Amino acid sequence: MTSVGGAEMVDWNLAVATATRLVRPGPEISREEARAVVAELRRHAKASEEHVRSFTRMIPEGHEPEDTPVLVVDRAGWIRANVAGFRELLRPLLGKMQDRRGSGPGGAVLGAVGGKVTGVELGMLLSFLASRVLGQYETFAPASRELPASANGGGRLLLVAPNIVHVERELDVEPHDFRLWVALHEETHRTQFTGVPWLRDHLQGEIQSFLDETDVDPTTVLERLREAAQSFSGGSRPEGERGEDGDDGGRSLVEIVQTPAQREILGRLTAVMSLLEGHADFVMDGVGPDVVASVAEIREKFQQRRARGASRLDLALRKLLGLDAKLRQYRDGEKFVRAVVDEVGMDGFNRVWTSPNTLPTKAEIAAPADWVARVHRRTDS
């Protein structure tokens, strides 16, 4: 990335160092048990491939999609992987901001100082998330010797072993069943991207369009960030402005740093992410009864955990970072998938993967019958 005076907009190394220093330690576990957990997660990831492919019928028989690695990582490994992904995805936007900053007085100094400040802030964010993520399919993952990815520039599945152990203990569920249950969810995401070749490029294009619309004036960005902070420190929204479900308890950063064009793009991205997350939950529940003996108990306890959240600070951070929206995506997307499959069967639902034009809109996620009418009427008439 082009830098001013040798300083990048984000000090990525400082972000990694900050996050790994601040992240909470994982559960107490012996070295032997840790090795056993890692080995079991790898076995479950491999077994999940056949389970998910058989249930979803997304990959034609005899067709072998692009191979993507499965990595069992600790919290520090998850942090390093995500910093690499952020760096790759945000490169064009940060380049624009770098140019804008460099053209002003004192740009080199601002670049050096601002890069370190942003690095620390990103590190703090990642330290919060690193102890919560159970698994992740990294769609835009640059390969490295430490963290390999697929040959064509992206794709790897991460399973975060200490977090999985922590949650299975917290929920008091059967560990082997829980580990397979998590692997089924994450393997569904891998199948979505390896079985639908255009999906990665489509998502990347939408995200880049969103970033291209970002106002790179640092003053404007700071004003919007202050608005976010004020919403959590007693400030109120403009009169008459309320959030989803009538909530006016503060908007997330994603909601605030938006232009009208970004809102339109974000609506499309929200619909796609709701589809992907809901589909993974649907598949996990569909496969579960046949291969996970205690799936009903796990699902009930995990849903309670999602709904309950944690401390007041944790809930505030979820809202600020937009993580509460991700919880709605699981719920709304799963309802959409279930309703469509009930109406037209799995093969009928799989028409959703035909092209970007057959993806559901945000409105159709809430009204599955509208998607069925649009897509099936178009192809069947």
Side-chain angles (χ1 to χ4, degrees), residues 347-360:
D347 292 333
F349 165 78
N350 280 340
R351 291 187 185 182
V352 78
W353 312 117
T354 304
S355 76
N357 293 329
T358 56
L359 291 171

Side-chain angles (χ1 to χ4, degrees), residues 3 6 59 76 98 111 117 133 135 145 165 208 232 242 257 259 269 281 289 298 349 374 378:
S3 60
I59 298 175
Q98 189 78 58
V117 170
V133 176
R145 180 164 49 181
V165 172
Q208 289 304 327
F232 285 96
R242 300 181 70 82
V257 187
T259 65
L269 280 170
D281 265 12
I298 291 173
F349 165 78
R374 175 174 68 87
R378 176 186 300 167

Side-chain angles (χ1 to χ4, degrees), residues 185 273-286 299 303 306 327-342 349 365 368:
H185 182 100
M273 297 312 297
S274 296
L275 170 68
L276 298 180
E277 295 293 359
H279 183 238
D281 265 12
F282 176 79
V283 172
M284 184 168 58
D285 286 347
R299 183 66 161 153
Q303 290 287 61
R306 273 182 182 171
L327 297 181
R328 288 195 296 273
Q329 287 169 7
Y330 285 109
R331 181 190 65 212
D332 298 343
E334 196 273 341
K335 288 180 179 178
F336 169 84
V337 175
R338 187 172 301 279
V340 172
V341 172
D342 286 347
F349 165 78
I365 288 288

Side-chain angles (χ1 to χ4, degrees), residues 92-93 173 187 202 213 216 266 294 316 348 353 356 358 364:
L93 173 63
V173 292
E187 175 57 35
H202 173 70
E213 289 290 333
V216 295
L266 190 62
S294 59
W353 312 117
T358 56
E364 287 171 340

Side-chain angles (χ1 to χ4, degrees), residues 17 87 363:
R87 187 173 190 171

